[in-house]
Amino acid sequence: MKMRILGNSGLKVSELCFGTMTFGGDGYWGSIGKQTQNDADTLVGIAIENGINFFDTADIYGLGESERRLGHFLKSRREEAIISTKFGVRVDNNGGTF
């Protein structure tokens, strides 16, 4: 996997970033977030084994479930990952923003 330096941070990240929007959710997010914790663990493990260290998530993905599932896998491997997360947009369980 080719790596790049992220801006002026000095962090080396994989050229490919793994998006985690499909990692769980109910209501509005149920149609998108079909990946179980076991699915998420398998997919993140495969990504890391293949040199991907850059992961994208957001607090609205699955109403926080994406971050929880990614964190569950990475809790004992945190030094192997760079996590990019977004915040600020609030969505209720029916897909409405507030």
Side-chain angles (χ1 to χ4, degrees):
M1 177 64 56
K2 290 183 181 179
M3 305 299 270
R4 300 274 178 125
I5 301 297
L6 184 63
N8 295 324
S9 70
L11 296 171
K12 292 174 82 174
V13 298
S14 53
E15 283 191 339
L16 296 179
C17 181
F18 186 102
T20 63
M21 186 168 67
T22 62
F23 285 6
D26 294 317
Y28 170 79
W29 292 98
S31 63
I32 298 169
K34 299 212 182 275
Q35 304 301 318
T36 65
Q37 183 65 60
N38 286 337
D39 295 335
D41 291 349
T42 298
L43 292 168
V44 174
I46 290 169
I48 288 174
E49 288 172 13
N50 286 281
I52 295 173
N53 74 339
F54 192 23
F55 295 88
D56 171 72
T57 189
D59 64 353
I60 66 166
Y61 294 169
L63 300 176
E65 196 59 32
S66 169
E67 290 178 322
R68 283 188 287 277
R69 291 188 182 181
L70 180 61
H72 179 269
F73 180 86
L74 292 175
K75 67 184 171 193
S76 62
R77 302 176 75 164
R78 180 60 187 94
E79 69 284 348
E80 297 178 58
I82 304 297
I83 301 169
S84 170
T85 192
K86 298 166 290 298
F87 63 93
V89 176
R90 305 304 320 155
V91 178
D92 66 22
N93 205 27
N94 297 314
T97 58
F98 57 95

